[in-house]
PDB file of all heavy atoms in Angstrom:
ATOM      1  N   ALA A   1     214.617 111.701 133.345  1.00 78.00           N
ATOM      2  CA  ALA A   1     213.843 112.795 132.899  1.00 78.00           C
ATOM      3  C   ALA A   1     212.318 112.600 133.054  1.00 78.00           C
ATOM      4  O   ALA A   1     211.576 113.473 133.547  1.00 78.00           O
ATOM      5  CB  ALA A   1     214.219 113.057 131.451  1.00 78.00           C
ATOM      6  N   VAL A   2     211.964 111.355 132.712  1.00 80.00           N
ATOM      7  CA  VAL A   2     210.542 111.002 132.875  1.00 80.00           C
ATOM      8  C   VAL A   2     210.133 111.101 134.286  1.00 80.00           C
ATOM      9  O   VAL A   2     209.021 111.527 134.647  1.00 80.00           O
ATOM     10  CB  VAL A   2     210.195 109.646 132.235  1.00 80.00           C
ATOM     11  CG1 VAL A   2     208.770 109.219 132.533  1.00 80.00           C
ATOM     12  CG2 VAL A   2     210.394 109.675 130.638  1.00 80.00           C
ATOM     13  N   PHE A   3     210.988 110.444 135.144  1.00 76.00           N
ATOM     14  CA  PHE A   3     210.689 110.480 136.595  1.00 76.00           C
ATOM     15  C   PHE A   3     210.573 111.875 137.116  1.00 76.00           C
ATOM     16  O   PHE A   3     209.625 112.257 137.833  1.00 76.00           O
ATOM     17  CB  PHE A   3     211.856 109.721 137.315  1.00 76.00           C
ATOM     18  CG  PHE A   3     211.667 109.817 138.802  1.00 76.00           C
ATOM     19  CD1 PHE A   3     210.738 108.998 139.459  1.00 76.00           C
ATOM     20  CD2 PHE A   3     212.501 110.630 139.554  1.00 76.00           C
ATOM     21  CE1 PHE A   3     210.605 109.094 140.859  1.00 76.00           C
ATOM     22  CE2 PHE A   3     212.391 110.684 140.955  1.00 76.00           C
ATOM     23  CZ  PHE A   3     211.491 109.881 141.608  1.00 76.00           C
ATOM     24  N   VAL A   4     211.487 112.803 136.744  1.00 75.00           N
ATOM     25  CA  VAL A   4     211.492 114.169 137.210  1.00 75.00           C
ATOM     26  C   VAL A   4     210.292 114.860 136.733  1.00 75.00           C
ATOM     27  O   VAL A   4     209.546 115.634 137.460  1.00 75.00           O
ATOM     28  CB  VAL A   4     212.756 114.926 136.807  1.00 75.00           C
ATOM     29  CG1 VAL A   4     212.671 116.351 137.125  1.00 75.00           C
ATOM     30  CG2 VAL A   4     213.993 114.308 137.607  1.00 75.00           C
ATOM     31  N   PHE A   5     209.989 114.648 135.402  1.00 77.00           N
ATOM     32  CA  PHE A   5     208.839 115.321 134.853  1.00 77.00           C
ATOM     33  C   PHE A   5     207.519 114.864 135.576  1.00 77.00           C
ATOM     34  O   PHE A   5     206.645 115.711 135.885  1.00 77.00           O
ATOM     35  CB  PHE A   5     208.765 114.990 133.310  1.00 77.00           C
ATOM     36  CG  PHE A   5     207.564 115.573 132.628  1.00 77.00           C
ATOM     37  CD1 PHE A   5     207.554 116.959 132.316  1.00 77.00           C
ATOM     38  CD2 PHE A   5     206.498 114.800 132.320  1.00 77.00           C
ATOM     39  CE1 PHE A   5     206.434 117.503 131.679  1.00 77.00           C
ATOM     40  CE2 PHE A   5     205.389 115.322 131.691  1.00 77.00           C
ATOM     41  CZ  PHE A   5     205.419 116.678 131.317  1.00 77.00           C
ATOM     42  N   GLY A   6     207.459 113.594 135.788  1.00 77.00           N
ATOM     43  CA  GLY A   6     206.233 113.071 136.437  1.00 77.00           C
ATOM     44  C   GLY A   6     206.076 113.679 137.911  1.00 77.00           C
ATOM     45  O   GLY A   6     204.963 114.014 138.310  1.00 77.00           O
ATOM     46  N   ILE A   7     207.267 113.653 138.633  1.00 76.00           N
ATOM     47  CA  ILE A   7     207.152 114.182 139.947  1.00 76.00           C
ATOM     48  C   ILE A   7     206.764 115.651 139.995  1.00 76.00           C
ATOM     49  O   ILE A   7     205.913 116.092 140.763  1.00 76.00           O
ATOM     50  CB  ILE A   7     208.541 113.957 140.703  1.00 76.00           C
ATOM     51  CG1 ILE A   7     208.807 112.503 140.895  1.00 76.00           C
ATOM     52  CG2 ILE A   7     208.563 114.752 141.998  1.00 76.00           C
ATOM     53  CD1 ILE A   7     207.857 111.857 141.971  1.00 76.00           C
ATOM     54  N   VAL A   8     207.410 116.433 139.103  1.00 75.00           N
ATOM     55  CA  VAL A   8     207.137 117.937 139.020  1.00 75.00           C
ATOM     56  C   VAL A   8     205.620 118.096 138.692  1.00 75.00           C
ATOM     57  O   VAL A   8     204.999 118.956 139.337  1.00 75.00           O
ATOM     58  CB  VAL A   8     208.080 118.526 138.079  1.00 75.00           C
ATOM     59  CG1 VAL A   8     207.676 120.007 137.806  1.00 75.00           C
ATOM     60  CG2 VAL A   8     209.458 118.489 138.574  1.00 75.00           C
ATOM     61  N   ARG A   9     205.176 117.395 137.696  1.00 76.00           N
ATOM     62  CA  ARG A   9     203.779 117.581 137.273  1.00 76.00           C
ATOM     63  C   ARG A   9     202.804 117.175 138.374  1.00 76.00           C
ATOM     64  O   ARG A   9     201.856 117.821 138.666  1.00 76.00           O
ATOM     65  CB  ARG A   9     203.471 116.724 136.110  1.00 76.00           C
ATOM     66  CG  ARG A   9     204.078 117.231 134.750  1.00 76.00           C
ATOM     67  CD  ARG A   9     203.499 118.542 134.337  1.00 76.00           C
ATOM     68  NE  ARG A   9     202.070 118.362 134.105  1.00 76.00           N
ATOM     69  CZ  ARG A   9     201.526 118.082 132.997  1.00 76.00           C
ATOM     70  NH1 ARG A   9     202.252 117.846 131.918  1.00 76.00           N
ATOM     71  NH2 ARG A   9     200.212 117.981 132.901  1.00 76.00           N
ATOM     72  N   PHE A  10     203.142 116.051 139.050  1.00 79.00           N
ATOM     73  CA  PHE A  10     202.277 115.689 140.207  1.00 79.00           C
ATOM     74  C   PHE A  10     202.287 116.666 141.263  1.00 79.00           C
ATOM     75  O   PHE A  10     201.246 117.037 141.825  1.00 79.00           O
ATOM     76  CB  PHE A  10     202.672 114.262 140.614  1.00 79.00           C
ATOM     77  CG  PHE A  10     202.012 113.772 141.863  1.00 79.00           C
ATOM     78  CD1 PHE A  10     200.733 113.255 141.751  1.00 79.00           C
ATOM     79  CD2 PHE A  10     202.537 113.888 143.150  1.00 79.00           C
ATOM     80  CE1 PHE A  10     199.993 112.826 142.917  1.00 79.00           C
ATOM     81  CE2 PHE A  10     201.903 113.434 144.244  1.00 79.00           C
ATOM     82  CZ  PHE A  10     200.586 112.935 144.125  1.00 79.00           C
ATOM     83  N   PHE A  11     203.439 117.117 141.672  1.00 76.00           N
ATOM     84  CA  PHE A  11     203.568 118.082 142.818  1.00 76.00           C
ATOM     85  C   PHE A  11     202.884 119.428 142.388  1.00 76.00           C
ATOM     86  O   PHE A  11     202.138 120.055 143.225  1.00 76.00           O
ATOM     87  CB  PHE A  11     205.024 118.305 143.097  1.00 76.00           C
ATOM     88  CG  PHE A  11     205.308 119.268 144.268  1.00 76.00           C
ATOM     89  CD1 PHE A  11     204.973 118.832 145.545  1.00 76.00           C
ATOM     90  CD2 PHE A  11     205.761 120.501 144.097  1.00 76.00           C
ATOM     91  CE1 PHE A  11     205.251 119.634 146.641  1.00 76.00           C
ATOM     92  CE2 PHE A  11     205.931 121.339 145.160  1.00 76.00           C
ATOM     93  CZ  PHE A  11     205.678 120.916 146.453  1.00 76.00           C
ATOM     94  N   SER A  12     203.059 119.860 141.185  1.00 77.00           N
ATOM     95  CA  SER A  12     202.480 121.160 140.774  1.00 77.00           C
ATOM     96  C   SER A  12     200.966 121.038 140.782  1.00 77.00           C
ATOM     97  O   SER A  12     200.267 121.894 141.157  1.00 77.00           O
ATOM     98  CB  SER A  12     202.998 121.554 139.360  1.00 77.00           C
ATOM     99  OG  SER A  12     204.408 121.724 139.421  1.00 77.00           O
ATOM    100  N   ALA A  13     200.487 119.923 140.154  1.00 78.00           N
ATOM    101  CA  ALA A  13     199.061 119.700 140.081  1.00 78.00           C
ATOM    102  C   ALA A  13     198.421 119.635 141.502  1.00 78.00           C
ATOM    103  O   ALA A  13     197.366 120.189 141.741  1.00 78.00           O
ATOM    104  CB  ALA A  13     198.743 118.421 139.342  1.00 78.00           C
ATOM    105  N   ALA A  14     199.152 118.974 142.372  1.00 81.00           N
ATOM    106  CA  ALA A  14     198.581 118.849 143.817  1.00 81.00           C
ATOM    107  C   ALA A  14     198.556 120.234 144.442  1.00 81.00           C
ATOM    108  O   ALA A  14     197.491 120.616 145.115  1.00 81.00           O
ATOM    109  CB  ALA A  14     199.537 117.984 144.614  1.00 81.00           C
ATOM    110  N   ILE A  15     199.537 121.145 144.283  1.00 78.00           N
ATOM    111  CA  ILE A  15     199.528 122.435 144.911  1.00 78.00           C
ATOM    112  C   ILE A  15     198.446 123.297 144.304  1.00 78.00           C
ATOM    113  O   ILE A  15     197.682 123.973 145.036  1.00 78.00           O
ATOM    114  CB  ILE A  15     200.886 123.105 144.713  1.00 78.00           C
ATOM    115  CG1 ILE A  15     201.999 122.415 145.547  1.00 78.00           C
ATOM    116  CG2 ILE A  15     200.857 124.598 145.143  1.00 78.00           C
ATOM    117  CD1 ILE A  15     203.353 122.937 145.406  1.00 78.00           C
ATOM    118  N   PHE A  16     198.376 123.250 142.913  1.00 78.00           N
ATOM    119  CA  PHE A  16     197.305 124.108 142.307  1.00 78.00           C
ATOM    120  C   PHE A  16     195.933 123.635 142.630  1.00 78.00           C
ATOM    121  O   PHE A  16     194.984 124.459 142.777  1.00 78.00           O
ATOM    122  CB  PHE A  16     197.560 124.178 140.788  1.00 78.00           C
ATOM    123  CG  PHE A  16     198.694 125.130 140.332  1.00 78.00           C
ATOM    124  CD1 PHE A  16     199.782 124.628 139.769  1.00 78.00           C
ATOM    125  CD2 PHE A  16     198.503 126.503 140.600  1.00 78.00           C
ATOM    126  CE1 PHE A  16     200.805 125.514 139.385  1.00 78.00           C
ATOM    127  CE2 PHE A  16     199.533 127.305 140.124  1.00 78.00           C
ATOM    128  CZ  PHE A  16     200.700 126.895 139.584  1.00 78.00           C
ATOM    129  N   GLN A  17     195.866 122.309 142.826  1.00 80.00           N
ATOM    130  CA  GLN A  17     194.515 121.722 143.190  1.00 80.00           C
ATOM    131  C   GLN A  17     194.197 122.216 144.599  1.00 80.00           C
ATOM    132  O   GLN A  17     192.969 122.561 144.868  1.00 80.00           O
ATOM    133  CB  GLN A  17     194.572 120.258 143.060  1.00 80.00           C
ATOM    134  CG  GLN A  17     193.148 119.603 143.298  1.00 80.00           C
ATOM    135  CD  GLN A  17     193.259 118.082 143.121  1.00 80.00           C
ATOM    136  OE1 GLN A  17     194.321 117.557 142.861  1.00 80.00           O
ATOM    137  NE2 GLN A  17     192.120 117.467 143.173  1.00 80.00           N
ATOM    138  N   GLN A  18     195.177 122.327 145.459  1.00 81.00           N
ATOM    139  CA  GLN A  18     194.895 122.748 146.843  1.00 81.00           C
ATOM    140  C   GLN A  18     194.519 124.248 146.840  1.00 81.00           C
ATOM    141  O   GLN A  18     193.482 124.656 147.514  1.00 81.00           O
ATOM    142  CB  GLN A  18     196.153 122.600 147.691  1.00 81.00           C
ATOM    143  CG  GLN A  18     196.029 123.120 149.119  1.00 81.00           C
ATOM    144  CD  GLN A  18     195.034 122.306 149.896  1.00 81.00           C
ATOM    145  OE1 GLN A  18     194.861 121.103 149.655  1.00 81.00           O
ATOM    146  NE2 GLN A  18     194.453 122.941 150.907  1.00 81.00           N
ATOM    147  N   VAL A  19     195.142 125.109 146.006  1.00 80.00           N
ATOM    148  CA  VAL A  19     194.756 126.498 145.980  1.00 80.00           C
ATOM    149  C   VAL A  19     193.396 126.609 145.321  1.00 80.00           C
ATOM    150  O   VAL A  19     192.551 127.492 145.845  1.00 80.00           O
ATOM    151  CB  VAL A  19     195.865 127.254 145.064  1.00 80.00           C
ATOM    152  CG1 VAL A  19     195.394 128.696 144.859  1.00 80.00           C
ATOM    153  CG2 VAL A  19     197.192 127.179 145.720  1.00 80.00           C
ATOM    154  N   GLU A  20     193.131 125.850 144.319  1.00 78.00           N
ATOM    155  CA  GLU A  20     191.797 125.904 143.711  1.00 78.00           C
ATOM    156  C   GLU A  20     190.677 125.497 144.687  1.00 78.00           C
ATOM    157  O   GLU A  20     189.569 126.093 144.763  1.00 78.00           O
ATOM    158  CB  GLU A  20     191.730 125.023 142.517  1.00 78.00           C
ATOM    159  CG  GLU A  20     190.387 125.055 141.717  1.00 78.00           C
ATOM    160  CD  GLU A  20     190.371 124.108 140.542  1.00 78.00           C
ATOM    161  OE1 GLU A  20     191.481 123.648 140.221  1.00 78.00           O
ATOM    162  OE2 GLU A  20     189.243 123.895 139.927  1.00 78.00           O
ATOM    163  N   SER A  21     190.989 124.462 145.556  1.00 83.00           N
ATOM    164  CA  SER A  21     189.989 124.061 146.541  1.00 83.00           C
ATOM    165  C   SER A  21     189.742 125.216 147.553  1.00 83.00           C
ATOM    166  O   SER A  21     188.629 125.416 147.917  1.00 83.00           O
ATOM    167  CB  SER A  21     190.592 122.799 147.197  1.00 83.00           C
ATOM    168  OG  SER A  21     189.623 122.416 148.207  1.00 83.00           O
ATOM    169  N   GLU A  22     190.842 125.859 147.977  1.00 81.00           N
ATOM    170  CA  GLU A  22     190.646 126.939 148.933  1.00 81.00           C
ATOM    171  C   GLU A  22     189.888 128.132 148.380  1.00 81.00           C
ATOM    172  O   GLU A  22     189.009 128.661 148.953  1.00 81.00           O
ATOM    173  CB  GLU A  22     192.052 127.444 149.339  1.00 81.00           C
ATOM    174  CG  GLU A  22     192.810 126.445 150.191  1.00 81.00           C
ATOM    175  CD  GLU A  22     194.176 126.942 150.595  1.00 81.00           C
ATOM    176  OE1 GLU A  22     194.633 127.984 150.159  1.00 81.00           O
ATOM    177  OE2 GLU A  22     194.939 126.151 151.258  1.00 81.00           O
ATOM    178  N   LEU A  23     190.176 128.411 147.023  1.00 80.00           N
ATOM    179  CA  LEU A  23     189.444 129.462 146.343  1.00 80.00           C
ATOM    180  C   LEU A  23     187.923 129.084 146.217  1.00 80.00           C
ATOM    181  O   LEU A  23     187.065 129.940 146.388  1.00 80.00           O
ATOM    182  CB  LEU A  23     190.013 129.729 144.976  1.00 80.00           C
ATOM    183  CG  LEU A  23     191.389 130.445 145.018  1.00 80.00           C
ATOM    184  CD1 LEU A  23     191.870 130.575 143.528  1.00 80.00           C
ATOM    185  CD2 LEU A  23     191.276 131.882 145.628  1.00 80.00           C
ATOM    186  N   LYS A  24     187.725 127.865 145.984  1.00 82.00           N
ATOM    187  CA  LYS A  24     186.285 127.385 145.861  1.00 82.00           C
ATOM    188  C   LYS A  24     185.614 127.555 147.117  1.00 82.00           C
ATOM    189  O   LYS A  24     184.391 128.055 147.216  1.00 82.00           O
ATOM    190  CB  LYS A  24     186.329 125.978 145.347  1.00 82.00           C
ATOM    191  CG  LYS A  24     184.893 125.494 144.958  1.00 82.00           C
ATOM    192  CD  LYS A  24     184.860 124.110 144.282  1.00 82.00           C
ATOM    193  CE  LYS A  24     183.526 123.724 143.850  1.00 82.00           C
ATOM    194  NZ  LYS A  24     183.589 122.361 143.171  1.00 82.00           N
ATOM    195  N   ASP A  25     186.199 127.080 148.230  1.00 82.00           N
ATOM    196  CA  ASP A  25     185.540 127.280 149.512  1.00 82.00           C
ATOM    197  C   ASP A  25     185.294 128.763 149.889  1.00 82.00           C
ATOM    198  O   ASP A  25     184.236 129.124 150.355  1.00 82.00           O
ATOM    199  CB  ASP A  25     186.428 126.733 150.613  1.00 82.00           C
ATOM    200  CG  ASP A  25     186.604 125.165 150.486  1.00 82.00           C
ATOM    201  OD1 ASP A  25     185.743 124.560 149.907  1.00 82.00           O
ATOM    202  OD2 ASP A  25     187.569 124.547 151.103  1.00 82.00           O
ATOM    203  N   THR A  26     186.248 129.652 149.574  1.00 80.00           N
ATOM    204  CA  THR A  26     186.062 131.056 149.735  1.00 80.00           C
ATOM    205  C   THR A  26     184.912 131.592 148.951  1.00 80.00           C
ATOM    206  O   THR A  26     184.127 132.380 149.412  1.00 80.00           O
ATOM    207  CB  THR A  26     187.374 131.760 149.457  1.00 80.00           C
ATOM    208  OG1 THR A  26     188.433 131.298 150.222  1.00 80.00           O
ATOM    209  CG2 THR A  26     187.235 133.268 149.694  1.00 80.00           C
ATOM    210  N   ALA A  27     184.813 131.087 147.707  1.00 79.00           N
ATOM    211  CA  ALA A  27     183.786 131.585 146.742  1.00 79.00           C
ATOM    212  C   ALA A  27     182.463 131.237 147.305  1.00 79.00           C
ATOM    213  O   ALA A  27     181.521 131.957 147.265  1.00 79.00           O
ATOM    214  CB  ALA A  27     184.068 131.141 145.371  1.00 79.00           C
ATOM    215  N   LEU A  28     182.290 130.028 147.743  1.00 82.00           N
ATOM    216  CA  LEU A  28     181.036 129.520 148.184  1.00 82.00           C
ATOM    217  C   LEU A  28     180.602 130.234 149.516  1.00 82.00           C
ATOM    218  O   LEU A  28     179.393 130.615 149.740  1.00 82.00           O
ATOM    219  CB  LEU A  28     181.048 128.029 148.459  1.00 82.00           C
ATOM    220  CG  LEU A  28     181.234 127.101 147.228  1.00 82.00           C
ATOM    221  CD1 LEU A  28     181.460 125.620 147.692  1.00 82.00           C
ATOM    222  CD2 LEU A  28     180.000 127.239 146.271  1.00 82.00           C
ATOM    223  N   MET A  29     181.596 130.498 150.337  1.00 80.00           N
ATOM    224  CA  MET A  29     181.331 131.265 151.618  1.00 80.00           C
ATOM    225  C   MET A  29     180.840 132.732 151.249  1.00 80.00           C
ATOM    226  O   MET A  29     179.838 133.217 151.772  1.00 80.00           O
ATOM    227  CB  MET A  29     182.541 131.356 152.475  1.00 80.00           C
ATOM    228  CG  MET A  29     182.292 132.033 153.747  1.00 80.00           C
ATOM    229  SD  MET A  29     183.836 132.253 154.675  1.00 80.00           S
ATOM    230  CE  MET A  29     184.710 133.359 153.679  1.00 80.00           C
ATOM    231  N   LEU A  30     181.590 133.341 150.327  1.00 79.00           N
ATOM    232  CA  LEU A  30     181.205 134.719 149.862  1.00 79.00           C
ATOM    233  C   LEU A  30     179.843 134.691 149.222  1.00 79.00           C
ATOM    234  O   LEU A  30     179.090 135.645 149.321  1.00 79.00           O
ATOM    235  CB  LEU A  30     182.281 135.315 148.953  1.00 79.00           C
ATOM    236  CG  LEU A  30     183.658 135.588 149.672  1.00 79.00           C
ATOM    237  CD1 LEU A  30     184.695 135.947 148.624  1.00 79.00           C
ATOM    238  CD2 LEU A  30     183.506 136.695 150.674  1.00 79.00           C
ATOM    239  N   LYS A  31     179.573 133.709 148.496  1.00 77.00           N
ATOM    240  CA  LYS A  31     178.268 133.569 147.829  1.00 77.00           C
ATOM    241  C   LYS A  31     177.140 133.611 148.761  1.00 77.00           C
ATOM    242  O   LYS A  31     176.169 134.266 148.667  1.00 77.00           O
ATOM    243  CB  LYS A  31     178.212 132.367 146.957  1.00 77.00           C
ATOM    244  CG  LYS A  31     176.845 132.106 146.297  1.00 77.00           C
ATOM    245  CD  LYS A  31     176.927 130.855 145.373  1.00 77.00           C
ATOM    246  CE  LYS A  31     175.580 130.628 144.705  1.00 77.00           C
ATOM    247  NZ  LYS A  31     175.550 129.422 143.888  1.00 77.00           N
ATOM    248  N   GLY A  32     177.379 132.818 149.909  1.00 75.00           N
ATOM    249  CA  GLY A  32     176.347 132.860 150.914  1.00 75.00           C
ATOM    250  C   GLY A  32     176.218 134.221 151.643  1.00 75.00           C
ATOM    251  O   GLY A  32     175.091 134.651 151.962  1.00 75.00           O
ATOM    252  N   LEU A  33     177.399 134.824 151.909  1.00 73.00           N
ATOM    253  CA  LEU A  33     177.345 136.111 152.545  1.00 73.00           C
ATOM    254  C   LEU A  33     176.716 137.206 151.631  1.00 73.00           C
ATOM    255  O   LEU A  33     176.041 138.084 152.072  1.00 73.00           O
ATOM    256  CB  LEU A  33     178.740 136.546 152.937  1.00 73.00           C
ATOM    257  CG  LEU A  33     179.425 135.704 154.037  1.00 73.00           C
ATOM    258  CD1 LEU A  33     180.873 136.171 154.194  1.00 73.00           C
ATOM    259  CD2 LEU A  33     178.688 135.895 155.368  1.00 73.00           C
ATOM    260  N   LEU A  34     177.018 137.036 150.337  1.00 67.00           N
ATOM    261  CA  LEU A  34     176.594 138.094 149.391  1.00 67.00           C
ATOM    262  C   LEU A  34     175.054 138.104 149.327  1.00 67.00           C
ATOM    263  O   LEU A  34     174.561 139.230 149.169  1.00 67.00           O
ATOM    264  CB  LEU A  34     177.245 137.803 148.061  1.00 67.00           C
ATOM    265  CG  LEU A  34     176.921 138.747 146.893  1.00 67.00           C
ATOM    266  CD1 LEU A  34     177.390 140.173 147.305  1.00 67.00           C
ATOM    267  CD2 LEU A  34     177.509 138.306 145.610  1.00 67.00           C
ATOM    268  N   PHE A  35     174.432 137.017 149.335  1.00 62.00           N
ATOM    269  CA  PHE A  35     173.049 136.980 149.143  1.00 62.00           C
ATOM    270  C   PHE A  35     172.157 136.745 150.391  1.00 62.00           C
ATOM    271  O   PHE A  35     171.102 136.266 150.266  1.00 62.00           O
ATOM    272  CB  PHE A  35     172.663 135.929 148.036  1.00 62.00           C
ATOM    273  CG  PHE A  35     173.346 136.324 146.681  1.00 62.00           C
ATOM    274  CD1 PHE A  35     174.462 135.662 146.268  1.00 62.00           C
ATOM    275  CD2 PHE A  35     172.916 137.413 145.907  1.00 62.00           C
ATOM    276  CE1 PHE A  35     175.114 136.025 145.038  1.00 62.00           C
ATOM    277  CE2 PHE A  35     173.472 137.709 144.729  1.00 62.00           C
ATOM    278  CZ  PHE A  35     174.595 137.063 144.316  1.00 62.00           C
ATOM    279  N   MET A  36     172.787 136.853 151.503  1.00 63.00           N
ATOM    280  CA  MET A  36     172.003 136.792 152.701  1.00 63.00           C
ATOM    281  C   MET A  36     171.381 138.225 153.115  1.00 63.00           C
ATOM    282  O   MET A  36     170.578 138.235 154.050  1.00 63.00           O
ATOM    283  CB  MET A  36     172.891 136.326 153.893  1.00 63.00           C
ATOM    284  CG  MET A  36     173.260 134.868 153.794  1.00 63.00           C
ATOM    285  SD  MET A  36     174.326 134.323 155.161  1.00 63.00           S
ATOM    286  CE  MET A  36     173.341 134.671 156.501  1.00 63.00           C
ATOM    287  N   ALA A  37     171.792 139.194 152.398  1.00 53.00           N
ATOM    288  CA  ALA A  37     171.326 140.541 152.757  1.00 53.00           C
ATOM    289  C   ALA A  37     169.852 140.582 152.307  1.00 53.00           C
ATOM    290  O   ALA A  37     169.438 139.917 151.333  1.00 53.00           O
ATOM    291  CB  ALA A  37     172.060 141.626 152.027  1.00 53.00           C
ATOM    292  N   GLU A  38     169.047 141.383 153.056  1.00 42.00           N
ATOM    293  CA  GLU A  38     167.612 141.456 152.710  1.00 42.00           C
ATOM    294  C   GLU A  38     167.369 142.274 151.445  1.00 42.00           C
ATOM    295  O   GLU A  38     166.425 141.928 150.687  1.00 42.00           O
ATOM    296  CB  GLU A  38     166.897 142.077 153.885  1.00 42.00           C
ATOM    297  CG  GLU A  38     166.945 141.245 155.169  1.00 42.00           C
ATOM    298  CD  GLU A  38     166.189 141.834 156.325  1.00 42.00           C
ATOM    299  OE1 GLU A  38     165.767 143.055 156.242  1.00 42.00           O
ATOM    300  OE2 GLU A  38     166.008 141.205 157.365  1.00 42.00           O
ATOM    301  N   GLU A  39     168.227 143.238 151.176  1.00 52.00           N
ATOM    302  CA  GLU A  39     167.930 144.058 149.985  1.00 52.00           C
ATOM    303  C   GLU A  39     169.145 143.919 149.046  1.00 52.00           C
ATOM    304  O   GLU A  39     170.149 144.691 149.141  1.00 52.00           O
ATOM    305  CB  GLU A  39     167.754 145.544 150.462  1.00 52.00           C
ATOM    306  CG  GLU A  39     166.518 145.726 151.378  1.00 52.00           C
ATOM    307  CD  GLU A  39     166.350 147.204 151.702  1.00 52.00           C
ATOM    308  OE1 GLU A  39     167.257 148.033 151.442  1.00 52.00           O
ATOM    309  OE2 GLU A  39     165.340 147.566 152.356  1.00 52.00           O
TER     310      GLU A  39
END
């Protein structure tokens, strides 16, 4: 049970961390696009 719980937690954390990283990259890119306009 401890082994399964650890594996599941580790795998879930890794996936969500990957999604968060992708969202962060997207946000930073949009931030640059958003404020590059002159007006």
Side-chain angles (χ1 to χ4, degrees):
V2 171
F3 173 77
V4 171
F5 179 77
I7 290 294
V8 170
R9 287 294 300 272
F10 174 79
F11 183 71
S12 299
I15 293 179
F16 282 113
Q17 188 176 3
Q18 179 66 29
V19 174
E20 182 181 350
S21 178
E22 292 177 356
L23 288 175
K24 189 173 185 180
D25 291 342
T26 301
L28 292 175
M29 181 186 68
L30 290 173
K31 179 180 179 181
L33 292 174
L34 180 63
F35 298 106
M36 284 177 62
E38 294 182 351
E39 297 181 351

